[in-house]
Amino acid sequence: DGVTVTPARGRIAPEGTADLSVQVSLERPLQLDTVIQLSIRGGKPIRLPITALAVVPAMEIIEPEISFQAITLGGSKTVPFTIANASAVEGTCYINLQDYPEFTLGHAERGHGDETQIDPAALQPVSVQTYLAAIGGNDGARGRVDTPVEEEEEQQSQVWKVTVQPNDQLSLALTFSPVELGEHYFEFPVKAAGGQGEVPDGLRRVVHAKALRPRLLFG
């Protein structure tokens, strides 16, 4: 299970060669040791050992919390944060802000003189259907998941796919634009891809924000 060979069958001309593609897709951490057997018509089968190791990326939000403190209604504040991937494989997680419509996600602003190119694939809006399939479960995300998804729906889903390259960091920013008075105190809604909806300890962070009534000054 988890190993696919293409093409599954074919012919090789005399003195010829053929290329096979072996794809390994593992949904949980494990050591894979198996054998692919090639059946030769009229000849002896060929056994090809396959070894693969599936690991969970070591991803972590560097900041201890994401705090906005107090903001007046009608205002907006952006707080940067960094996701680090200390493993040798690409790390992917999903951030679902459907329950927090006053918050939005984006790339962090670059500092003066920073000419680093932003990878558009590192932060992408995705549909609810894609999100639920990726985390391997249902976390109460809203939206129809049984119909074709339009690009507009992805842009409005409030769900993002975040990809961090091996041994690298990704700078993101969370923006709070309050429209109602009140205080927010919640665990950052992030989940690892293929983790059955689990949140790695390194990604567990608290978001704190408070919306205040604007002060009116008369002179």
Side-chain angles (χ1 to χ4, degrees):
D1 292 340
V3 179
T4 304
V5 181
T6 53
R9 59 184 302 173
R11 294 183 179 183
I12 303 177
E15 305 298 330
T17 62
D19 293 330
L20 296 179
S21 175
V22 180
Q23 180 177 357
V24 178
S25 179
L26 304 176
E27 296 183 354
R28 64 184 187 279
L30 58 81
Q31 173 73 44
L32 176 67
D33 292 294
T34 187
V35 174
I36 296 176
Q37 180 168 299
L38 306 180
S39 299
I40 310 298
R41 181 176 297 178
K44 294 183 178 180
I46 299 175
R47 295 172 60 85
L48 178 64
I50 297 293
T51 299
L53 176 63
V55 299
V56 176
M59 302 180 69
E60 177 187 13
I61 295 179
I62 295 179
E63 291 74 13
E65 66 175 356
I66 303 176
S67 178
F68 293 86
Q69 299 181 350
I71 306 174
T72 58
L73 286 180
S76 180
K77 184 176 182 180
T78 298
V79 174
F81 65 95
T82 302
I83 299 181
N85 179 12
S87 55
V89 296
E90 183 179 271
T92 300
C93 61
Y94 289 81
I95 299 173
N96 179 9
L97 292 173
Q98 283 190 312
D99 290 335
Y100 311 99
E102 295 175 310
F103 295 82
T104 188
L105 189 66
H107 286 281
E109 290 188 2
R110 302 294 179 178
H112 180 70
D114 187 352
E115 299 181 354
T116 305
Q117 295 292 325
I118 295 178
D119 181 6
L123 179 64
Q124 295 180 314
V126 297
S127 67
V128 174
Q129 182 181 23
T130 299
Y131 167 64
L132 294 179
I135 66 172
N138 188 344
D139 73 338
R142 301 183 301 276
R144 294 178 60 87
V145 298
D146 57 349
T147 59
V149 179
E150 301 289 343
E151 182 177 351
E152 181 180 356
E153 180 181 342
E154 293 182 353
Q155 297 293 335
Q156 299 176 356
S157 69
Q158 283 290 90
V159 182
W160 285 267
K161 176 184 177 182
V162 178
T163 304
V164 186
Q165 297 303 313
N167 298 308
D168 201 358
Q169 297 182 354
L170 180 64
S171 296
L172 300 176
L174 191 65
T175 298
F176 177 44
S177 303
V179 295
E180 295 182 357
L181 295 174
E183 186 170 6
H184 297 273
Y185 195 85
F186 59 90
E187 184 175 291
F188 190 53
V190 57
K191 292 186 178 180
Q196 301 301 315
E198 297 180 358
V199 182
D201 290 340
L203 295 178
R204 290 185 179 274
R205 295 295 182 270
V206 169
V207 178
H208 183 210
K210 188 175 184 179
L212 302 177
R213 191 183 306 276
R215 294 182 178 179
L216 299 179
L217 299 178
F218 297 92

